[in-house]
Amino acid sequence: MDESDMQCEVERAFPYSPQAGLFFNMTHEERIDSDRRSIYVGNVDYGATADELEMYFNGCGHVNRVTIPYNRFTGHPKGFAYIEFSERESVRTAMTLDETLFRGRVIKVLPKRTNIPGFRTTDTYLRGGWSRGRGSRASRVYPFRGCHFIRENGRARPWVDSF
């Protein structure tokens, strides 16, 4: 096994590009500028490679980096990618490729949004006092207060206490 074969094996085992580590050494302003020159590509085929995406979007402008996120447990791609261009105008050009076919799938192309530290959209159940504050917890946890469920034939139907 020569050196190029060993390099291919290492890249296959560790699919992240070496340029991805440079992102963590950037200042906040450089990250924002990088995000403004980047796009999100959704519904990407799971077998697509960074080189194929780079060739597909190369007509929009010079591509600096292609990032395909992988599931850390299974090692499979997540089905989307981020592409960073060298110029901001390339993002507008790439938007024209929205809803076009790439490897037999209709892709979604959007400008990449900048992450806001500490802001998560997945924690919506914490808002509105679901787990914070004293409030009337019983009405939140048990919305059918004073109501019992009777199971008949595998179906549950509410039965309200008369008091």
Side-chain angles (χ1 to χ4, degrees):
M1 182 183 281
D2 64 333
E3 189 174 323
S4 63
D5 291 337
M6 287 175 47
Q7 181 68 25
C8 288
E9 287 295 319
V10 169
E11 287 176 359
R12 190 175 302 127
F14 191 69
Y16 300 104
S17 68
Q19 294 176 346
L22 298 175
F23 183 77
F24 297 107
N25 296 331
M26 293 182 182
T27 64
H28 182 66
E29 290 78 20
E30 290 172 337
R31 286 185 189 180
I32 291 174
D33 183 52
S34 173
D35 287 347
R36 288 182 180 152
R37 292 182 283 116
S38 301
I39 59 170
Y40 161 86
V41 184
N43 200 27
V44 176
D45 184 53
Y46 293 107
T49 63
D51 292 333
E52 290 174 335
L53 284 166
E54 183 177 353
M55 287 190 303
Y56 190 76
F57 285 96
N58 204 18
C60 302
H62 181 261
V63 175
N64 284 349
R65 174 176 49 203
V66 176
T67 306
I68 301 175
Y70 288 82
N71 184 321
R72 71 176 77 163
F73 301 111
T74 64
H76 298 290
K78 291 187 176 182
F80 62 93
Y82 296 106
I83 299 174
E84 180 187 333
F85 295 101
S86 55
E87 301 293 326
R88 285 189 188 177
E89 291 78 28
S90 302
V91 173
R92 283 190 221 107
T93 309
M95 294 293 293
T96 60
L97 294 176
D98 186 25
E99 297 185 0
T100 59
L101 280 177
F102 175 72
R103 292 192 68 169
R105 298 180 75 161
V106 178
I107 58 172
K108 186 70 179 170
V109 181
L110 297 169
K112 183 177 186 280
R113 64 176 178 81
T114 302
N115 283 338
I116 301 169
F119 183 77
R120 292 174 38 179
T121 57
T122 57
D123 288 345
T124 54
Y125 63 89
L126 291 176
R127 296 191 193 121
W130 280 88
S131 66
R132 296 183 183 168
R134 293 183 182 244
S136 173
R137 286 185 177 210
S139 64
R140 290 187 199 123
V141 176
Y142 305 107
F144 298 104
R145 208 163 148 193
C147 179
H148 304 284
F149 286 94
I150 302 171
R151 290 192 74 78
E152 284 182 5
N153 302 330
R155 295 185 189 161
R157 61 182 177 91
W159 171 69
V160 179
D161 286 337
S162 58
F163 57 92

